[in-house]
Amino acid sequence: MSLQEEHQPLDTAIWNAMLAVLPPDCSAARLEVAAVFEADGGLEMPHSLVALDDSKDLCFPSDEIYQLTREHLAVFERHGKPWASLACTVRFDFDTENWRCSTDYEY
């Protein structure tokens, strides 16, 4: 299976998990994850989830988001392309009344 075929379902699952934790009045948010490989072989993955609109409510990554991003990194590692950071954005498009989602990587 190709990298694209393996990670695309995880992208979708991450976006859905993000939408599940957003406050009702939030129309845009960004999840940022860093993959920090430590000298002893450990891995830290700090996460931050921020609203990109005027929403005043706080939102936090769920356990599901943490699990999915670890799986996501593992897929990229298996293909020899571990990312250093991941940024997922979800934004409601009021014209089409649909969510637009994207994922960007830094290596």
Side-chain angles (χ1 to χ4, degrees):
M1 193 180 284
S2 73
L3 173 61
Q4 178 73 20
E5 291 169 327
E6 278 195 75
H7 85 79
Q8 185 58 49
L10 289 170
D11 287 347
T12 301
I14 292 168
W15 299 330
N16 287 331
M18 289 173 64
L19 294 174
V21 299
L22 293 183
D25 69 333
C26 186
S27 63
R30 183 175 181 93
L31 171 70
E32 295 181 354
V33 181
V36 182
F37 295 93
E38 299 173 334
D40 65 359
L43 171 66
E44 288 191 24
M45 292 182 69
H47 288 58
S48 91
L49 181 59
V50 296
L52 300 176
D53 60 7
D54 294 333
S55 177
K56 302 290 188 240
D57 293 326
L58 297 176
C59 46
F60 299 96
S62 63
D63 290 343
E64 180 183 16
I65 290 173
Y66 283 99
Q67 175 189 345
L68 289 167
T69 55
R70 282 192 177 274
E71 289 177 35
H72 196 280
L73 180 59
V75 166
F76 275 72
E77 286 180 309
R78 277 197 305 274
H79 287 273
K81 296 184 174 203
W83 39 261
S85 66
L86 168 81
C88 297
T89 304
V90 294
R91 185 177 307 275
F92 190 76
D93 182 334
F94 290 95
D95 293 332
T96 63
E97 295 188 11
N98 289 305
W99 286 94
R100 296 196 181 271
C101 307
S102 64
T103 301
D104 296 307
Y105 311 92
E106 286 189 22
Y107 296 93

